[in-house]
Amino acid sequence: MISLSMQNGQIIDPQRSLPCFGEFDVLVCGGGMAGFGAAVAAAREGCKTMLVERESCLGGLATVGLVNIPLDFAAGISKEMLARLDEVNGHWHRNSDPEKHKLILDRMVVEAGVTLLLVSHAVDAIVENGAVRGVVIENKSGRQAILAKRVIDCTGDADIAFFAGCECLSGRPSDGKHQACSLEFRLGGVDWDAYQNSDLKKNDPTWIKLIEKAVAEGDLPYPIDNHLNWVTHVPGRPQHCGKDEISMCFAHSRNCQPLSAKDLTRMYLEGREQADILSKFIKKCVPGYENCYLIDTGTLLGVRESRRVLGEYVLKTIDFARAQTFEDTVCLTGHHYDLHNPDGPGNIKWAEIQIDGKTCYVSTHGKTGSWAPPGGFDVITDGFGRGGDAFQRKTLPSSIPYRSLVPQSMDNLLVAGRCLSSEFMAQAGCRLVLTCLNMGQAAGTAAALSLKQQIAPRKVDRKDLQIKLLQAGCELGQSYFGIPGIDVEKVVKG
């Protein structure tokens, strides 16, 4: 209880003492895919590890967000996770069963010896002499402190880094706008075979023409999006009998403020209305979906970008386009620019970059996306400014350096996931489910290594870290361009 005391229209919250939940070697805040990877990695390295998550389960968007599409490099812990999903018929062609996924994550965290605390919000950082010493949490037990020698921020929004006073980047540089947010939904009663064999699937696979027609004829009140983003086939359900279950990315909220509780509320309400509208449209207009029904919407909104910490290195948009390699690479991504338009329908798969004094509209994969640059898709260039017949599609994966996980101005703190240190458009290509998990494994391993060597995380030798990650089965680029100064074959063979 606090006594009501107001000053300048604000409630005064007096200083109070907090019980300490415990002291740990490594505290991971955020139990999405990045936090899961970080906690398991740290615990397996022998650290007393705690994982705090605000939802009632682990996995974040991959589970309660219904983004059941675990894409990117499966190596290390991520490869093991997919294998565990395979064992329970919860994974098929990079489509996953969200419910089985929750269970597998639970089991892997418990087996690693992680102390887990769910339904708990991290609401502040505890800082001493330029170093994070713990966090403050709130849950049904009240307000408590947790102390730790190392803290890893996997909140997605860089909450801990922000609370600790780290400088953060946010939104598109030109106007501060964020990527569109999505509330995913599932449909049951789908005849998947009929849809796969339909003329629509063959001739208009992303439904661009269908959506235009539906808006013109009133089957859609407005273009919620101008194309179908993705649809997954949930494994382990009845098949070939008109009872398939699918998950879909179609709903979109624009002009988003994902760091505002008021606007998050607006987007949840809008997302559920959109799911209702879209499910009715799909039932009426899409072959194979004539008997479909809406099962549910995600209980976690798909926020694609909010805060990004300012780290020792800011991953640049041009780095991504050119597949720039780094001495301290800790994971890879095979993704492309994937910006869900902040302003209106469509996704943007190109970036505006100055190359040799010229404005170029750069794509890694060519004339793709549903929103063209100024001048149309014919002006697209590659990362070196080559267009037309000279365009060269990026064939190598892009690298993420360890320095992008290390905040510039705060010790004892690492970040992993979509809040990595990066430019706006570079981040748009570094946020897939397994990319985040692999960043988490790197951060958890680095935290453990820094404790063992009794040095700050920013002082960890990149070779020591990379050797640990290679021994754990991670992909750091050894299959593509090697790792400077490391005999990979010798390390892997032990």
Side-chain angles (χ1 to χ4, degrees):
M1 179 187 73
I2 63 172
S3 299
L4 179 59
S5 176
M6 297 188 68
Q7 183 176 328
N8 299 324
Q10 296 184 323
I11 305 296
I12 303 301
D13 187 4
Q15 184 177 1
R16 51 182 166 168
S17 60
L18 298 178
C20 184
F21 182 90
E23 297 188 36
F24 296 83
D25 295 327
V26 177
L27 168 61
V28 181
C29 295
M33 299 313 298
F36 161 75
V40 170
R44 287 180 176 179
E45 288 295 326
C47 295
K48 182 183 178 183
T49 303
M50 180 165 192
L51 175 57
V52 174
E53 164 56 29
R54 69 179 188 179
E55 303 293 333
S56 61
C57 67
L58 299 174
L61 286 177
T63 53
V64 286
L66 303 182
V67 184
N68 61 325
I69 184 168
L71 294 178
D72 225 349
F73 286 90
I77 292 172
S78 57
K79 183 178 181 180
E80 178 186 345
M81 178 193 74
L82 293 184
R84 297 282 292 266
L85 279 168
D86 286 333
E87 292 172 1
V88 296
N89 194 23
H91 174 241
W92 176 86
H93 292 275
R94 293 301 180 93
N95 296 178
S96 58
D97 179 333
E99 196 60 38
K100 290 177 180 176
H101 204 168
K102 295 177 192 176
L103 189 61
I104 292 301
L105 299 179
D106 288 346
R107 289 172 176 171
M108 291 181 68
V109 163
V110 170
E111 290 164 8
V114 175
T115 299
L116 177 62
L117 195 61
L118 298 174
V119 293
S120 300
H121 288 251
V123 297
D124 212 341
I126 301 169
V127 177
E128 181 184 43
N129 299 325
V132 174
R133 290 280 287 113
V135 302
V136 177
I137 64 167
E138 287 188 350
N139 55 30
K140 289 295 288 183
S141 302
R143 192 174 176 98
Q144 304 162 77
I146 304 172
L147 298 180
K149 297 172 184 174
R150 300 290 183 267
V151 176
I152 306 177
D153 186 340
C154 299
T155 61
D157 297 323
D159 285 338
I160 308 306
F162 178 75
F163 295 149
C166 295
E167 186 175 351
C168 293
L169 310 168
S170 183
R172 186 165 55 185
S174 61
D175 55 15
K177 288 188 175 182
H178 300 278
Q179 287 203 54
C181 297
S182 294
L183 198 65
E184 319 302 6
F185 59 89
R186 285 190 289 190
L187 298 176
V190 176
D191 189 334
W192 185 251
D193 295 329
Y195 171 66
Q196 290 294 101
N197 294 318
S198 67
D199 288 338
L200 176 66
K201 179 70 167 118
K202 295 173 185 175
N203 301 322
D204 189 17
T206 56
W207 303 1
I208 291 176
K209 295 178 182 178
L210 178 67
I211 292 168
E212 290 176 350
K213 182 172 182 281
V215 172
E217 296 181 355
D219 289 318
L220 284 174
Y222 63 99
I224 293 170
D225 206 354
N226 64 2
H227 70 294
L228 173 66
N229 285 267
W230 51 257
V231 57
T232 62
H233 187 259
V234 181
R237 303 294 194 268
Q239 297 182 41
H240 311 299
C241 60
K243 295 182 180 179
D244 298 88
E245 181 179 315
I246 63 96
S247 185
M248 184 171 288
C249 178
F250 201 160
H252 278 76
S253 292
R254 315 285 175 180
N255 299 299
C256 304
Q257 299 178 45
L259 299 172
S260 161
K262 181 178 179 181
D263 202 48
L264 287 168
T265 302
R266 186 266 300 184
M267 290 187 278
Y268 275 108
L269 297 179
E270 182 177 50
R272 287 190 280 270
E273 290 290 354
Q274 289 180 346
D276 181 62
I277 292 167
L278 291 169
S279 64
K280 292 172 181 174
F281 151 70
I282 291 167
K283 183 181 180 74
K284 178 179 178 180
C285 300
V286 179
Y289 286 77
E290 294 86 353
N291 298 310
C292 77
Y293 53 90
L294 180 64
I295 298 174
D296 57 3
T297 57
T299 56
L300 181 62
L301 182 72
V303 175
R304 296 179 171 91
E305 179 271 338
S306 55
R307 294 191 198 101
R308 309 179 310 281
V309 74
L310 183 63
E312 292 281 286
Y313 183 79
V314 179
L315 186 66
K316 297 176 176 59
T317 306
I318 195 69
D319 293 336
F320 189 88
R322 293 178 173 177
Q324 178 67 49
T325 58
F326 305 96
E327 279 196 345
D328 61 335
T329 294
V330 289
C331 65
L332 306 177
T333 176
H335 201 29
H336 46 70
Y337 295 130
D338 188 15
L339 182 74
H340 290 243
N341 195 350
D343 306 299
N347 60 0
I348 299 170
K349 298 187 181 296
W350 48 267
E352 182 178 331
I353 305 175
Q354 294 292 316
I355 300 177
D356 298 329
K358 179 184 176 183
T359 299
C360 294
Y361 299 98
V362 175
S363 171
T364 59
H365 286 62
K367 301 175 183 179
T368 60
S370 62
W371 188 276
F377 284 111
D378 287 341
V379 304
I380 289 286
T381 76
D382 61 21
F384 297 89
R386 297 172 299 211
D389 293 339
F391 179 95
Q392 292 187 24
R393 182 185 176 96
K394 184 167 76 76
T395 57
L396 292 173
S398 298
S399 302
I400 298 173
Y402 175 59
R403 288 165 293 155
S404 287
L405 309 184
V406 183
Q408 255 186 23
S409 58
M410 189 64 57
D411 279 327
N412 295 352
L413 178 66
L414 293 169
V415 303
R418 63 175 173 83
C419 56
L420 82 161
S421 175
S422 63
E423 293 181 348
F424 180 69
M425 282 303 299
Q427 188 269 358
C430 297
R431 55 178 183 76
L432 291 175
V433 167
L434 296 191
T435 322
C436 292
L437 197 165
N438 296 337
M439 275 190 264
Q441 181 168 2
T445 304
L449 198 55
S450 73
L451 287 170
K452 183 178 181 180
Q453 297 178 352
Q454 297 185 350
I455 57 176
R458 74 180 71 255
K459 299 292 186 182
V460 167
D461 182 80
R462 63 94 181 170
K463 289 184 183 178
D464 292 342
L465 175 56
Q466 289 168 327
I467 287 171
K468 280 282 188 184
L469 293 172
L470 288 168
Q471 290 171 338
C474 297
E475 176 60 72
L476 314 183
Q478 67 271 21
S479 303
Y480 298 90
F481 31 71
I483 303 173
I486 295 180
D487 185 337
V488 175
E489 185 176 356
K490 182 179 179 180
V491 169
V492 173
K493 288 184 177 179

